[in-house]
Amino acid sequence: MNKKNYLLAFFFALSICLHAYLANNYYQLKYQGITGESACNISNYLNCDAVTASDYSSFLNIPVALWGFSLNLVLFILLIGLMMADQPKKWLGSLQLLSAISALGSVVMLAISFLFMSTLCPFCLILHVLAFLQLLVLWTYEKPAQMLGNIKEIFNFKSPAYSIFVIVLLCPLIAVMGHQNRLVRFNAKNFAPQVKALVEDWQLRPEQPLLKDAKPLIAWPAAKAKFEIVEFADFFCHHCKNASAVFKLFLRNYDASLKFFAFPLDRTCNSLDSQVTGPSCLMAKAVYCANAEDKGWEAHDWIFQRQGQFPNSIEEIKERFNEMGQTVGLKNMEGFKACLEAEETHKAVVQNSLLAQELKLTGTPTIFVNGKLLRGGQQLEVLKAVYSSTIGVDK
């Protein structure tokens, strides 16, 4: 039995750590807009951030991961009581009941993942497996009939096991207290009013007619989407890199389209008073040319992911494009290189920049939603709030 106890302790401890990591990831994404750095973002399909960005990542406004953390922490406490008690059966019923609840919760979350979501969270899958392993180990302690008897006994008000079951009530208490602590830690007190103010500001903004027929550098279409995001960005802008990751998460979970306009903040592709020449404009041209093979978004992501790693020399940057071509799957590198030097390509990027200047944009990223300027549009919660407002009005 000791070996089983130690095995359970390992399962509970691992579950606590993974849930804590996912809960912290939730708060970072929600209140700080930090994304793309999670250790369990393996691919577009196996992506913890995408799951965290969905409407299924919280229950009663508390992240599901924090509920899981609280539950496994209580399980760990009950296991310690079981290991130290003279009459371990008094503790066993509560352990078995809570583990059964944990396994049931995993079944529900797995069903939601496969039925309603297009992505899976790798750490969540590990946690679901751990939940079933915990229940399986506890199932081997006794025969099924005895296990059900233990669970029934904890609801007997006169039974000593009932007093131990009171420890289970710590689970929601830990979750609520932990949530309040995280809200203070992430300075979330004024977050909701700020989001509301940004949505109201967007609602009062006029639509920009210049955007209606403008041709973006690349576009992410969505059939009959009522929610259109327009972004003006520079590939050397750090905030634009963060925004691009947020948009990817948003597009996976909501019916929306995205139009990307290049606004290189150097004088090669615009008339801005800038001392910088070449790199930003060249990156925009690379995306435009990759899009000729329907690889524009892949090139867009490749460049942002390597932001800060490019050499200063234009020629050296062009050499790096050979690596990009292999990574994103460009089949005609000679055509791509010719496209980089083409006058048509230069004009396309210049047109994007001129549009930004006509709109009197002063920085990047600048976001428009349904033709209206959205301040703070690079934040996931702001986008979600405007989306809810837009869909509500449309209905």
Side-chain angles (χ1 to χ4, degrees), residues 283-301:
M283 296 301 180
K285 290 179 179 181
V287 171
Y288 177 85
C289 293
N291 201 47
E293 292 189 37
D294 294 324
K295 297 293 184 180
W297 284 108
E298 289 83 351
H300 163 282
D301 295 345

Side-chain angles (χ1 to χ4, degrees), residues 1-9 137 141:
M1 188 170 179
N2 286 336
K3 289 183 179 180
K4 293 180 181 179
N5 287 340
Y6 291 130
L7 184 60
L8 278 175
V137 172
Y141 274 48

Side-chain angles (χ1 to χ4, degrees), residues 31-199:
Y31 297 111
Q32 295 182 337
I34 298 175
T35 182
E37 300 177 1
S38 174
C40 62
N41 290 346
I42 298 174
S43 66
N44 286 336
Y45 181 65
L46 297 173
N47 193 292
C48 291
D49 282 352
V51 174
T52 301
S54 74
D55 292 332
Y56 301 104
S57 62
S58 64
F59 176 68
L60 300 177
N61 292 322
I62 297 176
V64 172
L66 187 54
W67 286 110
F69 170 86
S70 305
L71 187 147
N72 279 275
L73 183 59
V74 172
L75 279 168
F76 195 83
I77 293 171
L78 289 170
L79 179 63
I80 293 174
L82 176 72
M83 295 171 69
M84 298 179 63
D86 294 330
Q87 297 179 349
K89 284 191 176 182
K90 296 178 181 179
W91 296 82
L92 189 56
S94 296
L95 259 172
Q96 291 167 333
L97 175 64
L98 213 55
S99 289
I101 293 173
S102 176
L104 179 61
S106 288
V107 171
V108 172
M109 294 308 298
L110 278 170
I112 290 173
S113 298
F114 286 107
L115 293 176
F116 303 108
M117 302 180 69
S118 59
T119 54
L120 293 175
C121 163
F123 281 7
C124 300
L125 294 176
I126 294 173
L127 287 166
H128 297 326
V129 172
L130 287 172
F132 291 117
L133 288 175
Q134 292 163 10
L135 185 61
L136 180 63
V137 172
L138 284 167
W139 190 274
T140 64
Y141 274 48
E142 295 178 324
K143 295 179 180 179
Q146 292 175 310
M147 181 175 173
L148 293 174
N150 290 338
I151 293 175
K152 183 178 179 181
E153 185 67 16
I154 66 176
F155 291 100
N156 182 353
F157 287 84
K158 297 179 181 180
S159 169
Y162 178 77
S163 61
I164 295 171
F165 177 63
V166 173
I167 296 176
V168 174
L169 300 179
L170 285 173
C171 184
L173 182 62
I174 292 171
V176 171
M177 291 180 64
H179 181 59
Q180 293 302 316
N181 175 270
R182 292 294 87 187
L183 292 181
V184 173
R185 165 67 177 79
F186 285 90
N187 194 27
K189 181 180 179 181
N190 299 319
F191 185 76
Q194 289 171 355
V195 171
K196 182 181 178 181
L198 291 171
V199 174

Side-chain angles (χ1 to χ4, degrees), residues 207-367:
E207 288 190 31
Q208 293 290 344
L210 292 173
L211 292 174
K212 288 185 177 180
D213 299 319
K215 187 177 181 180
L217 197 73
I218 47 175
W220 185 273
K224 300 180 181 178
K226 297 178 180 178
F227 195 86
E228 181 185 82
I229 303 170
V230 169
E231 177 193 15
F232 286 84
D234 181 308
F235 282 106
F236 279 82
C237 160
H238 181 69
H239 293 296
C240 297
K241 175 184 177 180
N242 292 338
S244 71
V246 169
F247 294 144
K248 285 177 67 177
L249 295 181
F250 185 82
L251 291 169
R252 288 174 187 166
N253 291 287
Y254 298 91
D255 180 24
S257 62
L258 171 62
K259 291 182 177 179
F260 178 91
F261 288 83
F263 186 23
L265 300 180
D266 64 51
R267 62 187 182 186
T268 307
C269 289
N270 56 46
S271 58
L272 294 174
D273 184 16
S274 172
Q275 300 301 313
V276 181
T277 58
S280 296
C281 184
L282 180 60
M283 296 301 180
K285 290 179 179 181
V287 171
Y288 177 85
C289 293
N291 201 47
E293 292 189 37
D294 294 324
K295 297 293 184 180
W297 284 108
E298 289 83 351
H300 163 282
D301 295 345
W302 186 90
I303 291 171
F304 269 133
Q305 288 166 3
R306 289 157 182 78
Q307 191 181 77
Q309 300 178 15
F310 292 99
N312 294 324
S313 165
I314 296 296
E315 292 304 317
E316 289 179 326
I317 292 176
K318 288 181 179 179
E319 287 298 318
R320 287 292 303 274
F321 288 155
N322 291 320
E323 175 191 339
M324 183 192 77
Q326 292 180 347
T327 303
V328 308
L330 293 180
K331 296 179 180 179
N332 184 4
M333 283 304 297
E334 292 302 319
F336 171 82
K337 292 177 181 179
C339 177
L340 287 178
E341 309 298 332
E343 183 64 24
E344 177 188 346
T345 303
H346 184 73
K347 286 181 178 179
V349 178
V350 168
Q351 283 299 114
N352 275 207
S353 296
L354 288 175
L355 175 61
Q357 292 173 261
E358 286 184 69
L359 291 168
K360 302 186 185 305
L361 306 188
T362 58
T364 57
T366 299
I367 315 301

